[in-house]
Amino acid sequence: MGNRPEELRALLDSVAKQDGDPVEVVVVGNGSPVPEVPDGVRTVELPENLGIPGGRNVGIEAFGPGGRDVDILLFLDDDGLLARTDTAELCREAFAADDELGIISFRIADPDTGETQRRHVPRLRASDPMRSSRVTTFLGGANAVRTRVLTQVGGLPDAFFYAHEETDLAWRALDGGWMIDYRSDMVLNHPTTAPSRHAVYHRMVARNRVWLARRNLPALLVPVYLGVWMLLTLLRRPSRPALKAWFGGFREGWATPCGPRRPMRWRTVWRLTRLGRPPVI
């Protein structure tokens, strides 16, 4: 968004320090000018804010249609920082060693405390962020994706704008036969924040969850999945304005087009269940 030039420069410096072959970098200005960047870093400035998935999809296309000019794409938040110099090499080694591996989710750690928030561990059993494992989704601002995944199942859903776009891609990737790893040794330093800091958070989370279910789940699971999440939302006892926004988004999710519906196969439902997160929660 162009409002964190110092953090962006620090991130770019951390990418430039990676071991092994140099990492090609593209910075997308999502409806804003791109601050000054080091030589060799390409930039794309969009006339309007396309949202998180829309901006990232533009970044993908900067490496050829579907990113085909490269083998791996890293997506890094502009206020993050690669904590180690071997992250790119670890990515290369992980994908080379496992032909089924399609996506890697990095561990996000606070730069001052080293703490990893529970919500940043993409599995239900999130008490130990230092444990690497197979997972069913990934973190949008700290990940690596094999470009063959995007060629096969498509990119992120532009219309989501913010929230749940990663899970939509993850479910499609898993249905396509790919696996996803959470790797605790691949670290992006990022300040501890609350997702509700975004004004659109409650509406977008609810709307996109409905879209996620309508697009990807077998018909029998759609009401189960959404019913569970409605119950969880009520149990968290959000404020009255937040709850009003949430239900407004929930209604919007049913009343507006969600994009093409491609329900996952039941064997994918079983795969998600075996990985510890059945697609009802």
Side-chain angles (χ1 to χ4, degrees):
M1 299 300 295
N3 56 356
R4 294 189 283 239
E6 293 181 4
E7 292 89 338
L8 173 63
R9 184 57 184 253
L11 170 65
L12 294 175
D13 288 345
S14 74
V15 173
K17 293 175 182 176
Q18 291 298 299
D19 302 333
D21 293 336
V23 179
E24 296 183 55
V25 180
V26 170
V27 176
V28 178
N30 212 346
S32 67
V34 176
E36 184 178 353
V37 297
D39 292 341
V41 173
R42 289 185 285 160
T43 62
V44 179
E45 293 185 356
L46 303 176
E48 62 178 310
N49 182 359
L50 300 182
I52 294 172
R56 288 181 179 149
N57 283 336
V58 169
I60 292 170
E61 294 301 308
F63 294 99
R68 69 184 182 190
D69 294 345
V70 294
D71 296 321
I72 305 166
L73 285 162
L74 275 67
F75 297 92
L76 304 171
D77 275 356
D78 64 353
D79 55 348
L81 181 77
L82 291 176
R84 297 167 40 161
T85 62
D86 63 349
T87 302
E89 279 292 89
L90 289 173
C91 285
R92 296 182 183 108
E93 291 169 4
F95 285 117
D98 186 350
D99 289 338
E100 288 187 326
L101 182 60
I103 302 172
I104 299 172
S105 189
F106 298 174
R107 180 168 64 89
I108 292 180
D110 184 273
D112 296 322
T113 66
E115 177 186 357
T116 295
Q117 292 180 273
R118 187 180 182 91
R119 69 185 182 90
H120 284 153
V121 183
R123 58 178 179 244
L124 289 178
R125 296 178 179 176
S127 59
D128 182 7
M130 300 306 295
R131 179 173 66 87
S132 299
S133 69
R134 294 285 202 198
V135 289
T136 61
T137 188
F138 64 98
L139 306 176
N143 67 80
V145 181
R146 195 191 295 265
T147 50
R148 283 198 285 132
V149 173
L150 302 171
T151 301
Q152 179 180 339
V153 306
L156 296 156
D158 287 353
F160 278 44
F161 197 85
Y162 165 80
H164 301 318
E165 67 273 3
E166 302 93 351
T167 300
D168 187 90
L169 175 57
W171 282 1
R172 284 183 281 124
L174 288 162
D175 198 49
W178 298 99
M179 300 299 290
I180 305 169
D181 277 358
Y182 166 73
R183 287 284 297 264
S184 64
D185 57 337
M186 301 182 190
V187 183
L188 184 81
N189 282 344
H190 188 283
T192 298
T193 57
S196 54
R197 71 190 185 278
H198 299 292
V200 297
Y201 172 76
H202 296 286
R203 181 177 70 86
M204 291 290 196
V205 161
R207 184 198 69 179
N208 291 358
R209 199 174 290 284
V210 176
W211 281 358
L212 180 68
R214 289 175 59 197
R215 286 163 58 92
N216 295 290
L217 290 181
L220 286 175
L221 294 184
V222 172
V224 180
Y225 176 81
L226 295 177
V228 167
W229 276 104
M230 181 179 289
L231 178 61
L232 288 173
T233 299
L234 294 173
L235 289 174
R236 289 168 179 167
R237 303 180 68 179
S239 66
R240 186 180 294 272
L243 195 60
K244 181 179 179 181
W246 192 92
F247 274 106
F250 191 84
R251 288 191 296 271
E252 184 182 348
W254 286 107
T256 54
C258 64
R261 173 169 164 76
R262 299 187 181 94
M264 66 178 66
R265 294 165 290 183
W266 283 102
R267 70 180 182 185
T268 304
V269 173
W270 176 236
R271 170 183 276 193
L272 287 159
T273 302
R274 286 190 292 110
L275 289 170
R277 189 154 196 162
V280 293
I281 189 170

